[in-house]
Amino acid sequence: MTRTRLLAALVMAPLAIAAILFLPTPWFMALAAVVFLAGLWEWFDLADVRDSLARSVLLAANLTLMVAMVWASRSASGFSYVLLQLVSIVGVAWWLLVLLWLRNFNFASDHDTHARAIKLAAGTMSLVPAWCALAWIHGGGDAASSHRWLFAALGIVWAADSGAYFAGRKLGRRKLAPRISPNKTIEGLIGGLVAGVVTGVALGLFAGASVAQLPWVALAAAIAVLFSVVGDLFESLLKRHAGVKDSSNLIPGHGGVLDRLDGVLAALPAFAVAKAVLGF
């Protein structure tokens, strides 16, 4: 499994990095929307929405919301990121609220109409703000620098995920959330935190941060890693409710699109807001 996981990553990572660094923001937003909506399609399955017509309508509704935000952000003087920034802040508040959901394992677990509606709303609240934060980071400043900052944000999550995986396998003893995700350990969390912060500092320099800004970059990286853990645990909770191991089998060794996005969904709004507040 580790070999398959590595080979798949070696194929996906260069394509993702090239898109982040070289695509203009409007094209990158469109590409990211396709990926995020693919993850949302898998989310519908976890929410027990199996009818293809219903899922298509729900997907179209979320796409319409994204298009409407882009349309509302256009003006005669150019594109404004204010609306996307506000939605990103809402996303941070949402993921803090998810912490309460994680404490109550059985909430919305029975898959009746009430639970399904809650999980569908949760899907929109999880994916749309992350997409807004991604666009904000990628296009909110000088092109070369902002593109590199998005690469840094995603690199933090990727490094944390790998660090947690290998640290957990080698050193893991104490369970982090045994009822939600039995394989996750406190040692893995620490390993992921260290890997994410180190990667954040290194990529922060690549993105143009000064030496004086590096402590703030490290703090933002740590915040992003912790939020990514919340996103990862939340998807694990939904999969436990649905009785499945992965959101799909689309990516060899990695599961589905949503399995690759879970940590990113929570980390991107957190990093974007932290970057703005900390001023780098």
Side-chain angles (χ1 to χ4, degrees), residues 26-267:
W27 285 101
F28 186 73
M29 288 174 66
L31 177 62
V34 172
V35 175
F36 277 45
L37 290 171
L40 189 61
W41 182 269
E42 296 175 354
W43 190 293
F44 295 155
D45 193 43
L46 299 183
D48 198 31
V49 179
R50 306 296 170 84
D51 181 71
S52 296
L53 178 60
R55 292 169 75 159
S56 299
V57 171
L58 290 166
L59 198 72
N62 281 272
L63 175 59
T64 300
L65 176 60
M66 291 176 168
V67 172
M69 286 192 294
V70 171
W71 179 82
S73 298
R74 298 177 63 193
S75 68
S77 58
F79 191 86
S80 170
Y81 287 91
V82 172
L83 178 58
L84 302 187
Q85 292 166 352
L86 291 174
V87 176
S88 299
I89 294 170
V90 171
V92 173
W94 160 249
W95 286 108
L96 292 174
L97 186 62
V98 166
L99 287 171
L100 298 177
W101 192 336
L102 293 176
R103 292 188 62 184
N104 187 358
F105 179 88
N106 292 319
F107 179 71
S109 62
D110 53 4
H111 286 180
D112 62 13
T113 303
H114 182 66
R116 188 179 296 117
I118 291 174
K119 288 181 177 177
L120 290 174
T124 298
M125 291 297 297
S126 298
L127 278 91
V128 173
W131 178 75
C132 290
L134 176 144
W136 174 17
I137 298 170
H138 194 267
D142 171 73
S145 176
S146 58
H147 293 189
R148 291 181 181 186
W149 275 118
L150 180 61
F151 176 43
L154 293 173
I156 288 165
V157 181
W158 296 336
D161 184 54
S162 297
Y165 178 77
F166 289 108
R169 287 192 63 186
K170 296 295 184 181
L171 305 172
R173 296 292 184 272
R174 295 169 292 175
K175 301 297 184 182
L176 178 64
R179 195 175 184 190
I180 297 174
S181 184
N183 292 329
K184 290 182 175 59
T185 63
I186 294 175
E187 291 80 6
L189 171 61
I190 295 171
L193 187 61
V194 171
V197 170
V198 170
T199 300
V201 169
L203 292 180
L205 288 170
F206 172 68
S210 66
V211 174
Q213 291 173 324
L214 290 183
W216 301 121
V217 175
L219 177 58
I223 291 170
V225 171
L226 294 176
F227 269 77
S228 76
V229 173
V230 176
D232 197 342
L233 287 174
F234 187 48
E235 198 221 355
S236 295
L237 176 68
L238 297 181
K239 289 190 290 188
R240 285 278 170 182
H241 286 177
V244 297
K245 182 179 182 295
D246 296 314
S247 59
S248 77
N249 297 314
L250 182 64
I251 308 172
H254 291 265
V257 174
L258 190 58
D259 294 317
R260 293 299 88 213
L261 287 180
D262 51 8
V264 168
L265 296 178

